[in-house]
Amino acid sequence: MSFSKVLIANRGEISVRIIRACRELGIKTVAVYSEADEYSMHRRLADESYLLGPAPAADSYLNVKRIIEIIEGSGAEAVHPGYGFLSESAAFARSVEEAGAIWIGPPPEAMELVGDKVQAKELAEKAGVPIIPGYSGGDQDEERLSEEARRIGYPVLVKASAGGGGRGMRSVDRPEDFEEALRGAKREAESSFGDPTVFLEKLVENPRHVEVQVIGDYQGSVIHLYERDCSIQRRHQKVVEEAPSPALDAELREAICDAAVRLAAEAGYRNAGTVEFLLDGEDFYFLEMNARLQVEHPVTELVTGLDLVHLQLAVAAGELLPDQQDVTLRGSAIEVRIYAEDPETSLPAGGKLHSFAPPEGPGIRNDVGVETGDEVSLNYDSMISKLIVFASDRETTVQRLRQGLRDYTVLGVPTNLPLLRRIAENLAFAAGETTTGFLEKHDISGKQEQDRVPEKAILLAAVGESLPSRGKAWEPFSSGSWRPMGIVRFRYNAGGETHLVETSRISDGMRVRMNGRDSVVEQISIGNGFLRATLDDEPVSCGFAVDSSSVFVSDDGATYRLERSLPPSVDDAVSGGADSGRTSLTSPMPGTVVSVLVEEGEEVEEGQVLLVLEAMKMEQQVTAPYAGTVRALPYGERDLVPGGAVLAEIEEA
């Protein structure tokens, strides 16, 4: 049995990944898209595409009724849900099957069993898999949960029963903080999963996070494809994943993989899934099971030589899996996730990709969902791509990762590439000494001092802006490709400094003056998001793009945004002249106010929480930047807030 047409109920990078796998097997694909994704890459690549509805996920990618209509209308024989959205919805899986299509995933009954964290822990106990001490009872009364937390012993974790990804999770160190943490976790669980139920676990401090890839077929066979180490996390979201784990020896690897297979078999599991564990020295504890394909599946593919999407399609079509003894480990692979985000706040960012150029070369794989010119939407998860590197040993893989990140160019939208580069360069990471507290221990994810913009980047920005056509190769004046020019002056703001640059034409290039020194730039060419030239006879190359207010330059693995300065009089008008002593705290993106903890006129301390904003299904605390008085609170609880709106005004004491 095989499929002739598969519908992919997802978007972005994972949808593109599945489309490419289907193409390799000669299977036609059906894409679905929202109004925000009208020009998206996954729609461009699919054989057919159908509009779901408006941008909000509830009206598009979570609209089960509309997706079922498209399944029936398109004649799709099977549905792949990818990850996120409806991928772990047993109700959606049943709806797909009722529509006459095959669900490329686990049976709905198994999804419900392992998707509920309380039932999953009971299943683990039955299968003889170690679990963390905790409370998973049905009594959700605050007083009962508080009593159970004291019984377990602080620190404890409050976790949503119905979901994962760090949403609805709070760590609590002291009894006096439990009530507020519990309420926040319940609100976030309700918002993200439609279920406020939580359970408690003893907090295992600074463990490793190790997960095992399993897959089962419909003949009753369950095998593992070894483990992945996903210890480096930020706000419970994975940042770096690798296979195999540097923490496991052969004996421990066999024990943890066998435990995962026992659990999946006990659940009657079919198709691909992941069993996650916390590793504390030589002891491991069951954490949860994800009933879907994982974001980090490429590292498993590279070290086993098996294509997981191909295997998913084969299992769904009724085919047999390979024997366990035929699955072997080879080499080392590491994956990093590239997010569009503000490097100052780590919050999601959006906008147009003026240039998108992932690295290329031996042992480098890029799973992408965008191209140059695409728009990154704030309506959905902000991951735009994944970089995966592979080599015969971990040391070489780390070196390949470092170079790949240096060569990665994204202009127009800020990303987490600076964070990823700091991780890759860290000596403890190179040594494989990673735990869930890695970023905090090494102070990697905190606010970093802004790098001084190199003079070369500023010079090349001015050169690029001086060219008559920024989209074509520049040729010498003698060819008639551009008219003579006098002195052109540029004023940029970057890194807290103002930079003045002058350019003028010479016979075979440009003379550029900055800081009282002249440089000669020749052999200039520009195109495909890059500017190449010789600078004082030395070859140079940089990523280059412009928009209405800024110039973007990437140089030696770093990206710089140079804002074109307004005239001094306009700058003064915008800033309001003298310091008013007030600070306006603005919303970095659209969201909803879930709680307001102070009142206008109230005196507050530095760092005090003023209100809580929910954005992208995550709660963000808005805190006082200094001690002072609250002068304005424009929004109340449950109010919708646009990006850039003033949430509070504080007058300094």
Side-chain angles (χ1 to χ4, degrees):
M1 177 183 177
S2 61
F3 305 120
S4 61
K5 186 185 289 188
V6 170
L7 182 143
I8 299 133
N10 218 295
R11 66 176 299 278
E13 169 270 329
I14 184 55
S15 187
V16 171
R17 162 76 180 95
I18 297 165
I19 289 170
R20 295 193 189 283
C22 288
R23 278 183 170 183
E24 293 167 355
L25 299 172
I27 301 171
K28 291 188 177 298
T29 54
V30 179
V32 293
Y33 65 96
S34 69
E35 291 176 355
D37 282 338
E38 182 178 1
Y39 304 105
S40 61
M41 187 178 187
H42 79 278
R43 187 192 175 197
R44 293 194 296 269
L45 292 178
D47 296 291
E48 302 173 30
S49 61
Y50 296 85
L51 177 65
L52 288 168
D59 300 323
S60 53
Y61 296 103
L62 297 176
N63 187 342
V64 173
K65 181 180 178 181
R66 175 60 181 149
I67 295 174
I68 296 301
E69 290 174 354
I70 296 171
I71 293 169
E72 294 173 339
S74 67
E77 298 166 282
V79 175
H80 197 306
Y83 42 69
F85 294 126
L86 295 167
S87 62
E88 293 181 273
S89 169
F92 178 56
R94 287 194 177 96
S95 296
V96 168
E97 293 174 344
E98 289 168 3
I102 292 176
W103 172 254
I104 303 173
E109 297 76 19
M111 294 173 71
E112 288 172 334
L113 185 57
V114 303
D116 184 293
K117 290 184 172 62
V118 173
Q119 291 188 74
K121 289 183 71 174
E122 294 171 353
L123 185 73
E125 284 188 287
K126 188 176 179 182
V129 178
I131 63 169
I132 303 169
Y135 170 75
S136 56
D139 188 347
Q140 293 287 296
D141 181 74
E142 282 189 10
E143 186 174 339
R144 173 63 187 276
L145 290 170
S146 180
E147 290 175 1
E148 292 295 339
R150 285 192 292 270
R151 177 187 63 80
I152 296 166
Y154 287 90
V156 297
L157 274 178
V158 183
K159 302 176 72 173
S161 293
R167 296 187 176 98
M169 180 187 294
R170 296 289 189 278
S171 62
V172 191
D173 294 323
R174 306 179 305 164
E176 52 264 40
D177 298 329
F178 183 79
E179 183 180 284
E180 182 59 33
L182 175 64
R183 291 173 180 175
K186 281 179 169 286
R187 283 195 304 266
E188 205 166 88
E190 175 72 37
S191 172
S192 298
F193 314 115
D195 183 354
T197 306
V198 298
F199 66 99
L200 308 179
E201 279 184 352
K202 176 69 177 175
L203 177 61
V204 181
E205 298 188 84
N206 214 27
R208 286 184 183 261
H209 187 126
V210 176
E211 61 188 30
V212 178
Q213 178 70 60
V214 296
I215 187 164
D217 62 27
Y218 282 89
Q219 287 71 35
S221 173
V222 178
I223 63 172
H224 68 78
L225 276 65
Y226 294 97
E227 85 285 353
R228 299 182 288 257
D229 195 308
C230 305
S231 296
I232 299 182
Q233 301 179 13
R234 182 179 58 176
R235 299 191 297 271
H236 307 292
Q237 297 277 0
K238 298 165 187 174
V239 178
V240 181
E241 300 104 353
E242 65 176 294
S245 169
L248 302 187
D249 57 23
E251 184 178 352
L252 188 53
R253 174 170 293 114
E254 182 178 2
I256 203 168
C257 289
D258 286 349
V261 169
R262 289 200 307 275
L263 179 68
E266 188 70 39
Y269 198 86
R270 304 292 178 260
N271 217 283
T274 302
V275 184
E276 304 196 359
F277 298 93
L278 290 181
L279 181 65
D280 186 15
E282 294 295 311
D283 298 321
F284 61 89
Y285 303 99
F286 170 71
L287 185 61
E288 63 183 2
M289 184 172 186
N290 291 299
R292 55 171 167 81
L293 191 68
Q294 293 278 89
V295 178
E296 56 272 20
H297 73 273
V299 293
T300 294
E301 295 180 325
L302 290 175
V303 298
T304 62
L306 296 171
D307 188 304
L308 271 162
V309 179
H310 286 186
L311 287 176
Q312 284 190 292
L313 292 163
V315 166
E319 297 180 20
L320 286 167
L321 286 168
D323 292 332
Q324 183 68 68
Q325 59 264 30
D326 295 329
V327 182
T328 57
L329 274 176
R330 55 171 194 172
S332 167
I334 301 176
E335 173 186 295
V336 292
R337 308 180 186 192
I338 290 84
Y339 288 94
E341 68 177 36
D342 186 323
E344 293 292 313
T345 64
S346 300
L347 291 174
K352 184 175 181 178
L353 286 167
H354 296 296
S355 178
F356 180 77
E360 298 177 349
I364 291 178
R365 167 176 164 177
N366 292 288
D367 282 17
V368 303
V370 294
E371 295 176 313
T372 296
D374 284 348
E375 289 281 340
V376 178
S377 173
L378 280 172
N379 292 290
Y380 315 111
D381 185 89
S382 64
M383 188 179 76
I384 57 176
S385 62
K386 302 180 306 200
L387 170 65
I388 312 101
V389 294
F390 173 76
S392 59
D393 59 83
R394 190 176 186 277
E395 182 179 358
T396 306
T397 304
V398 170
Q399 292 294 341
R400 189 161 281 169
L401 175 66
R402 290 173 175 173
Q403 189 58 51
L405 289 170
R406 293 187 197 110
D407 293 342
Y408 216 116
T409 299
V410 182
L411 300 180
V413 176
T415 69
N416 65 330
L417 282 168
L419 169 67
L420 298 176
R421 291 176 183 125
R422 292 194 296 272
I423 293 171
E425 297 292 338
N426 185 274
L427 295 179
F429 171 73
E433 298 168 357
T434 57
T435 65
T436 55
F438 178 85
L439 296 181
E440 293 76 16
K441 178 180 179 180
H442 298 281
D443 194 25
I444 292 176
S445 61
K447 188 174 180 179
Q448 304 290 313
E449 288 188 17
Q450 199 168 20
D451 292 337
R452 185 181 179 88
V453 183
E455 183 175 298
K456 179 176 71 172
I458 302 168
L459 292 176
L460 292 177
V463 168
E465 287 218 274
S466 299
L467 297 179
S469 174
R470 298 176 185 137
K472 299 178 181 178
W474 175 84
E475 296 178 0
F477 170 65
S478 59
S479 70
S481 62
W482 59 306
R483 295 186 299 275
M485 67 179 188
I487 295 175
V488 181
R489 295 181 174 87
F490 299 91
R491 184 169 179 254
Y492 300 121
N493 286 332
E497 298 180 88
T498 298
H499 307 278
L500 302 175
V501 192
E502 295 180 350
T503 64
S504 58
R505 183 189 59 81
I506 58 177
S507 60
D508 292 319
M510 292 185 194
R511 178 174 285 109
V512 187
R513 170 169 283 257
M514 180 177 172
N515 297 329
R517 189 175 71 84
D518 286 350
S519 295
V520 174
V521 183
E522 298 174 303
Q523 300 180 32
I524 308 167
S525 66
I526 188 169
N528 298 321
F530 286 89
L531 187 154
R532 296 176 176 85
T534 60
L535 175 60
D536 295 331
D537 296 325
E538 292 292 326
V540 293
S541 176
C542 69
F544 176 84
V546 297
D547 65 14
S548 59
S549 62
S550 305
V551 185
F552 302 90
V553 177
S554 65
D555 176 58
D556 194 27
T559 299
Y560 306 99
R561 178 177 182 175
L562 292 86
E563 296 180 347
R564 300 185 189 90
S565 295
L566 299 170
S569 59
V570 178
D571 284 340
D572 292 343
V574 171
S575 65
D579 185 3
S580 65
R582 281 196 183 191
T583 294
S584 295
L585 305 176
T586 60
S587 175
M589 60 188 300
T592 303
V593 176
V594 295
S595 64
V596 179
L597 305 177
V598 295
E599 298 178 350
E600 291 184 1
E602 183 175 335
E603 294 183 359
V604 295
E605 299 298 322
E606 179 180 348
Q608 183 175 339
V609 179
L610 309 177
L611 55 89
V612 179
L613 179 73
E614 182 194 72
M616 296 291 287
K617 296 186 178 179
M618 296 289 284
E619 291 191 358
Q620 307 288 336
Q621 293 183 338
V622 178
T623 60
Y626 43 66
T629 304
V630 179
R631 292 304 182 195
L633 289 167
Y635 295 95
E637 291 185 7
R638 294 185 294 279
D639 283 350
L640 298 176
V641 178
V646 174
L647 299 173
E649 285 191 4
I650 307 295
E651 184 173 355
E652 190 170 9

